[in-house]
Amino acid sequence: MAAKQTEPVTIISLRKLSQAAPEPQQKETKTFTVEDAVETIGFGRFHIALFLIMGSTGVVEAMEIMLIAVVSPVIRCEWQLENWQVAFVTTMVFFGYMVSSILFGLLADRYGRWKILLLSFLWGAYFSLLTSFSPSYIWFVFLRTMVGCGVSGHAQGLIIKTEFLPTKYRGYMLPLSQVFWLAGSLLIISMASVVIPTIGWRWLIRIASIPGIILIMAFKFIPESARFNVSTGNTQAALDTLESIAKMNRSVMPEGRLVEPILEKRGRFADLLESKYLRTTLQIWVIWLGISFAYYGVILASAELLERDLVCDSKSESEPEVVENTGDAEEGRSPCYCHMFAPSDYRTMIISTLGEIALNPLNILGINFLGRRLSLSITMGCTALFFLLLNICTSSAGLIGFLFMLRALVAANFNTIYIYTAEVYPTPMRALGMGTSGSLCRIGAMVAPFISQVLMSASFLGALCLFSSVCVVCAISAFTLPIETKGRALQICVQVPGDLEPWLSVWNMEAHQDLVITKKGARYMKGEYGDFSTLEYGANRNDLQLVPSLNTSQTR
């Protein structure tokens, strides 16, 4: 029978047809996958606890990242730093993030999301506390770089949430996680306005370490990802986790036994660049880099605009304290001016930070109704526009309004790309995909300080045009992404036995008619792990044919 072109659907397992006489008919045992269990159990109390605990990782990450923005004026004054030295602190934090992000992603795919998340929090809390005792600028840079290494592992919290959430809830619950990042940003700014003028920046860092330490103790209430456990062959652990979730949600498990293919090859960098995902991976990397460049550019530019009054008529209602420091003859050639934040500047930062949640309802609607790609391209285009609007001479209120909208847009961009990246990659390389994207993302974050804190002082319009141009490139890249993940179940890569040897994607667990795949004389059929209807792709599509079973009674 001629091959028939169909859309890719479920493939769970294949076994080779025996040419021997058919065995007596046996009653089939019902089976289910983790995807079936997650959808059957539904949303409940477990997911609320998961949302609160894993979402709180965003509070800790925001506090550690935003910490640099609020202490930069203080360390500039204390250690008499030049502009490039202040920018270098932020760059090195993101350098540490970039290097360890790939490593943590690879380890999470091989050894578990939960273990790496715990390790990253312990690492980050330890070096953050040490930072408060930095005796010099060099030690401060080194220790904050180590903090950046730890913070990079926090993304595993998002992956755990993604892998436990039912499909229809991902587009709503994951964007709401932005609330936690907002809470962390507001908390560190509010604390800075009180702590820095009274007991100093070192105590600010020590106090900011407390939420991370508390959260470490809460991790024991969150299990390892069931999807990861079944991919490693630890089916019983996955089943125990799912049963516990069902009990907590007062729901039921699917009938039958849990079966999933064991994925021996996990966390391989080559899979990201395999033909099926190559274009998606490259475009995602471009988008991550551009979004991070714009996001941290806005944060650091906000501090610079307030500290240095680069926009006309935007002076604070109360003049900041200006102190001139001069050292010996050598240091005196380049005196450092200390512009400390006034209370009104902290209020401006808080108002602009509140913008990160302003577009969250619209972002959720866009993600769920327009799709991830179109929603992201629209918000990136608007980000480019508002960067250019910053060049307009305006009052202090006008500046706050523009910064407010920019923070709202860049936060929406991050929301969407986080969700898309976690959804588009299959289980064996989901953490690595997120890790490499986060690593490329930090390149943009490393460059942003030199644009916001150095170039902006020399050419304000030039810096804004550069930010805007990058956002336009990202908008085009988002619009042309080859895969839309809206409404699509999470994927699992499966390697078929024998001479087929393609990687397959399991993403729609439904029952279909019995079919047989033939290739070069080898015949494969429905296996004990579930039904399949078509082969998504192989090393060479032309070698694969999909035909109906001529004698399906022999397969029962």
Side-chain angles (χ1 to χ4, degrees):
M1 181 176 293
K4 182 172 70 174
Q5 190 72 19
T6 59
E7 294 184 359
V9 290
T10 302
I11 300 180
I12 303 299
S13 177
L14 304 176
R15 60 185 174 85
K16 200 166 185 177
L17 275 174
S18 173
Q19 297 181 356
E23 297 179 357
Q25 183 174 346
Q26 296 180 354
K27 184 178 179 180
E28 288 190 351
T29 303
K30 289 186 177 181
T31 61
F32 65 91
T33 64
V34 174
E35 183 72 23
D36 293 328
V38 169
E39 297 296 332
T40 301
I41 294 171
F43 187 85
R45 291 188 296 177
F46 167 79
H47 297 93
I48 294 174
L50 176 72
F51 176 74
L52 293 176
I53 296 176
M54 291 294 98
S56 296
T57 62
V59 174
V60 178
E61 183 174 358
M63 291 181 71
E64 294 293 355
I65 297 299
M66 286 294 295
L67 183 68
I68 301 299
V70 294
V71 303
S72 289
V74 187
I75 63 171
R76 185 201 301 267
C77 177
E78 180 170 330
W79 287 319
Q80 301 185 29
L81 305 179
E82 302 289 346
N83 287 342
W84 71 267
Q85 291 175 302
V86 176
F88 186 67
V89 176
T90 308
T91 297
M92 289 306 295
V93 170
F94 290 126
F95 175 77
Y97 195 119
M98 179 189 70
V99 172
S100 59
S101 185
I102 297 177
L103 177 62
F104 278 147
L106 185 142
L107 293 176
D109 275 334
R110 294 188 180 183
Y111 302 108
R113 286 83 160 101
W114 190 91
K115 296 184 184 70
I116 300 304
L117 182 64
L118 178 63
L119 173 63
S120 69
F121 264 81
L122 291 171
W123 180 288
Y126 175 72
F127 282 102
S128 184
L129 283 173
L130 286 183
T131 303
S132 65
F133 299 98
S134 301
S136 64
Y137 168 73
I138 298 299
W139 272 105
F140 184 85
V141 172
F142 170 74
L143 292 172
R144 291 313 294 179
T145 302
M146 294 297 101
V147 173
C149 292
V151 170
S152 67
H154 294 187
Q156 301 309 315
L158 176 73
I159 293 177
I160 291 175
K161 281 190 295 182
T162 302
E163 295 185 336
F164 275 122
L165 280 171
T167 302
K168 69 178 181 179
Y169 288 97
R170 290 203 306 267
Y172 295 95
M173 298 304 296
L174 295 180
L176 286 177
S177 300
Q178 183 64 30
V179 173
F180 295 98
W181 179 277
L182 172 67
S185 300
L186 293 176
L187 184 58
I188 194 66
I189 295 172
S190 302
M191 288 169 51
S193 66
V194 176
V195 175
I196 289 179
T198 54
I199 55 179
W201 62 270
R202 296 178 186 272
W203 275 104
L204 175 65
I205 294 177
R206 292 164 192 160
I207 296 172
S209 302
I210 296 176
I213 296 172
I214 295 175
L215 196 56
I216 289 173
M217 295 183 285
F219 285 164
K220 67 179 182 179
F221 298 106
I222 300 299
E224 177 60 88
S225 167
R227 296 179 191 269
F228 171 79
N229 278 332
V230 295
S231 72
T232 61
N234 195 357
T235 305
Q236 187 57 48
L239 186 60
D240 292 341
T241 296
L242 293 170
E243 289 175 344
S244 175
I245 295 173
K247 182 179 179 180
M248 187 173 179
N249 285 4
R250 297 177 181 175
S251 184
V252 295
M253 289 281 289
E255 294 182 4
R257 62 191 180 94
L258 175 62
V259 288
E260 291 262 12
I262 299 174
L263 309 175
E264 296 180 355
K265 297 180 179 179
R266 304 183 307 275
R268 300 193 310 172
F269 185 79
D271 292 336
L272 294 175
L273 302 179
E274 190 271 336
S275 59
K276 180 185 176 183
Y277 289 105
L278 177 60
R279 179 182 161 190
T280 299
T281 297
L282 294 179
Q283 288 185 231
I284 284 178
W285 286 352
V286 170
I287 295 170
W288 271 93
L289 191 152
I291 288 178
S292 179
F293 178 67
Y295 182 83
Y296 293 106
V298 171
I299 292 176
L300 297 172
S302 299
E304 288 296 301
L305 289 171
L306 296 171
E307 183 186 352
R308 307 168 78 81
D309 294 327
L310 296 180
V311 178
C312 56
D313 299 326
S314 65
K315 291 185 180 298
S316 306
E317 58 188 66
S318 60
E319 292 294 331
E321 176 186 358
V322 180
V323 182
E324 181 175 343
N325 292 304
T326 57
D328 53 24
E330 182 178 354
E331 294 176 340
R333 292 197 298 267
S334 180
C336 172
Y337 291 90
C338 301
H339 299 259
M340 308 302 292
F341 283 155
S344 59
D345 295 329
Y346 286 113
R347 288 196 297 271
T348 299
M349 292 181 70
I350 289 174
I351 293 172
S352 64
T353 301
L354 285 171
E356 295 201 7
I357 200 66
L359 292 182
N360 206 257
L362 290 178
N363 187 219
I364 292 174
L365 291 175
I367 287 172
N368 288 283
F369 292 97
L370 299 179
R372 280 58 161 158
R373 295 180 300 183
L374 181 57
S375 178
L376 181 57
S377 62
I378 291 173
T379 54
M380 287 302 307
C382 292
T383 306
L385 175 63
F386 272 88
F387 263 118
L388 295 178
L389 292 178
L390 273 182
N391 192 51
I392 298 176
C393 287
T394 182
S395 63
S396 178
L399 173 62
I400 292 173
F402 286 144
L403 291 176
F404 184 90
M405 283 304 300
L406 267 175
R407 291 293 289 269
L409 288 166
V410 294
N413 296 335
F414 252 129
N415 262 344
T416 311
I417 194 60
Y418 260 115
I419 295 171
Y420 183 86
T421 306
E423 291 178 335
V424 75
Y425 290 116
T427 300
M429 58 182 186
R430 186 170 295 123
L432 181 59
M434 184 68 77
T436 54
S437 298
S439 181
L440 268 292
C441 160
R442 303 310 151 183
I443 295 179
M446 289 166 63
V447 176
F450 290 96
I451 306 302
S452 295
Q453 297 176 317
V454 181
L455 177 60
M456 190 168 281
S457 299
S459 175
F460 186 66
L461 180 60
L464 295 181
C465 288
L466 181 57
F467 281 121
S468 182
S469 299
V470 171
C471 290
V472 170
V473 172
C474 291
I476 296 172
S477 184
F479 187 75
T480 57
L481 281 167
I483 301 173
E484 174 58 70
T485 62
K486 187 187 83 167
R488 191 181 73 158
L490 298 182
Q491 294 186 313
I492 302 174
C493 283
V494 182
Q495 192 169 23
V496 180
D499 58 350
L500 280 176
E501 297 181 358
W503 282 94
L504 310 174
S505 296
V506 178
W507 58 271
N508 189 12
M509 187 59 188
E510 297 178 359
H512 297 279
Q513 62 177 344
D514 292 325
L515 297 171
V516 173
I517 294 176
T518 65
K519 176 189 176 186
K520 298 178 181 177
R523 304 177 68 219
Y524 293 82
M525 57 164 286
K526 186 179 77 170
E528 62 177 333
Y529 298 122
D531 297 339
F532 70 90
S533 139
T534 186
L535 182 61
E536 183 175 353
Y537 83 104
N540 185 344
R541 286 183 193 272
N542 297 328
D543 288 342
L544 299 171
Q545 296 182 3
L546 179 64
V547 296
S549 174
L550 299 179
N551 187 2
T552 58
S553 63
Q554 296 182 6
T555 69
R556 297 293 181 180

